[in-house]
Amino acid sequence: CSSDLGLQNPGGGGPTNNWFTEGLNEYYAVTLALRSGLAPLDLVLQEINMQTRNYYTNPRKNLPADSVAMFNPMIDGRAQNVSYERGILFWADMDARIRAASKGRRNLDNVIVPLITRARTLGGEGQLGGQARPGGQPGWFTAAELVDSLAEEAGPSARQMFDSVIVRGKSIVPASNAFGPCFELKPARIADRYLGAADPRTLASGLPEIDAYLWSRVPSVPDSKCRAW
C-alpha cells in the first residue's frame, strides 16, 4: 500500500489527490511485476486490460479530481474507482512521454524516486510530522511541485495533460507504447457493464457495447525485451 512505500498525497488533500497515491500504486504494481519477471506476461496484460476496460466503461470517468472526493464510496463506488483506473493510465502515459523526450534515457522513476526520497528524508511519512522545509511546509511535496518535475522531464505537454485529464477530467487515450514495447493500444468495442446493470432490459440482447481501447501483445517483441523496459 502507499504507506508502506512512503507515498503521500502531494500536499495532503485526501481523496482529491487519490489520482496520485492510488493511481501510482496501480501503475507500479503492474510495471514491477513486469520488470521482475514475477508475473507471466499474459497476466500482466490481463491486469492492464481490466483497468483499461473498467476506465472506459465507468460513467464517472470524466469527473474532475476535486469532484471525485465529493462522492461517498459507500453510495457510489464508481467515482472512487476513477482514481485507480484513470491514475494507472495517466502514469503510464507520463512514463511514455518522459522516455520519448529523453530518447529512452529517463523514465517516470526519475521523477518519482527523488521526490519520495526527499519526502522521507525530511520526515514526510507523517502527514503533520517531520522536519519542516523552508516556508513551514512538511517534507511531503505538493501537486504543483510534482507537475513541475513532470514538465521538466517530459516538456510542456505533461502540464497540459495533467490539467486536461486530472484537473478537468477529460478522457485519456494513452500512448500506444505506454506499457512498453510488448503491448500496443488498439481501438476496440467493449461491453458496457455499467449501462447493462442500470437497465436490465438490455441484458435480453446482451450487454451494449461502446467504442474504447484495449492493449494487445506485440508478438514480434521477445519476452526479455518486455522485462528490460
Side-chain angles (χ1 to χ4, degrees), residues 8-9 18-19 27 46 97 106 176 194 202 212 225:
Q8 298 292 332
N9 286 341
N18 277 354
W19 59 269
Y27 171 75
Q46 181 179 323
R97 288 169 186 263
R106 297 174 71 81
S176 183
Y194 284 113
T202 64
K225 186 173 182 180

Side-chain angles (χ1 to χ4, degrees), residues 66-179:
D66 59 0
S67 296
V68 170
M70 298 174 61
F71 282 81
N72 184 333
M74 300 299 293
I75 298 175
D76 190 345
R78 298 172 300 180
Q80 184 183 42
N81 291 342
V82 170
S83 296
Y84 298 84
E85 300 156 1
R86 179 166 62 195
I88 186 175
L89 299 181
F90 172 80
W91 288 116
D93 189 74
M94 282 293 110
D95 181 74
R97 288 169 186 263
I98 293 170
R99 289 174 188 265
S102 65
K103 293 180 170 50
R105 293 187 296 270
R106 297 174 71 81
N107 60 25
L108 184 63
D109 298 353
N110 295 110
V111 171
I112 298 300
V113 173
L115 288 173
I116 297 302
T117 300
R118 187 192 73 184
R120 284 176 163 174
T121 301
L122 294 178
E125 291 194 57
Q127 286 282 351
L128 299 176
Q131 177 184 348
R133 292 194 282 122
Q137 294 180 338
W140 31 258
F141 45 90
T142 67
E145 290 172 314
L146 174 61
V147 174
D148 286 345
S149 295
L150 291 171
E152 184 176 343
E153 292 284 353
S157 67
R159 194 180 303 280
Q160 296 162 2
M161 186 72 167
F162 174 79
D163 180 69
S164 173
V165 172
I166 301 298
V167 176
R168 292 188 284 115
K170 183 179 178 180
S171 295
I172 181 173
V173 180
S176 183
N177 64 342
F179 287 100

Side-chain angles (χ1 to χ4, degrees), residues 30-31 95 98 135 173 185 213 215 217:
V30 166
T31 55
D95 181 74
I98 293 170
V173 180
L185 191 67
Y213 298 87
W215 307 86
R217 176 75 164 88

